Amino acid sequence: MEAEVKEKIVSIEKPHLEAPADWQPVIMGILCNWCSYAGSDLTGTSRLQYPPNIRIIRVPCSSRVDPWFIIKSLQASADGVLISGCHPGDCHYISGNYYARRRFLVTKKLLNFVGFHEDRVQFSWVSAAEGPKFAKVVTKVTEDIKKLGPLHLYKKENI
């Protein structure tokens, strides 16, 4: 049954389309205020280099990331989304990142089911003291999205 359903779904990803040579991805970064946003700030104040492709939105806690934020980001202009929060057990709101992790897994399965590649949306744990790790995460996410190509090429009106 599941195989039949998957065959009937038209994938949003179209591998036969090619991105322009000068294309750079736009990545929406939704970061926890207490850890990941502070980690990104440390990256900047330490003058560590990372790709400038990320557009950061600060939220009080990663548990406040509604799946609708992810869907709207991909629908509007982002080629990928990075959600980052405190390490498990270190949340300033006790268990917020556990809720975020569960919500993220369900959202990722839903997006994968409707045809988005699973690497378009990624989740990470970055603390306020991990500036170099934040730079590595952004670099990896940017590379993953570059491999997938621009999402806007695959919108219905462009096919």
Side-chain angles (χ1 to χ4, degrees):
M1 178 80 168
E2 189 174 324
E4 292 174 16
V5 172
K6 283 185 178 180
E7 287 177 22
K8 292 180 182 180
I9 294 175
V10 178
S11 178
I12 294 173
E13 304 285 340
K14 301 290 182 191
H16 66 277
L17 297 175
E18 292 186 22
D22 62 342
W23 173 76
Q24 289 293 318
V26 174
I27 300 164
M28 188 65 62
I30 306 174
L31 309 179
C32 155
N33 177 59
W34 300 103
C35 284
S36 296
Y37 186 81
S40 73
D41 191 41
L42 179 63
T43 304
T45 57
S46 300
R47 299 188 184 266
L48 299 173
Q49 297 293 313
Y50 63 90
N53 306 67
I54 191 163
R55 310 300 184 261
I56 295 176
I57 296 174
R58 180 169 48 172
V59 293
C61 179
S62 56
S63 68
R64 298 293 297 161
V65 177
D66 190 308
W68 190 242
F69 297 168
I70 299 167
I71 294 166
K72 288 300 283 183
S73 295
L74 293 171
Q75 188 180 35
S77 63
D79 298 301
V81 178
L82 169 66
I83 299 108
S84 189
C86 304
H87 287 282
D90 288 339
C91 181
H92 283 69
Y93 298 102
I94 319 262
S95 59
N97 49 14
Y98 293 119
Y99 293 122
R101 183 171 54 183
R102 277 183 268 165
R103 187 178 298 136
F104 174 72
L105 290 173
V106 172
T107 303
K108 196 163 184 173
K109 285 182 182 181
L110 172 70
L111 290 171
N112 199 5
F113 179 76
V114 297
F116 285 98
H117 192 280
E118 62 184 20
D119 287 342
R120 291 242 183 241
V121 180
Q122 296 189 26
F123 197 84
S124 70
W125 309 114
V126 178
S127 78
E130 295 179 320
K133 181 179 178 183
F134 181 79
K136 287 179 187 175
V137 167
V138 172
T139 302
K140 181 192 176 300
V141 171
T142 302
E143 289 170 1
D144 291 347
I145 301 299
K146 275 185 182 179
K147 288 177 190 172
L148 295 174
L151 185 59
H152 72 275
L153 285 179
Y154 311 122
K155 288 186 177 178
K156 184 178 175 183
E157 60 270 11
N158 293 333
I159 296 177

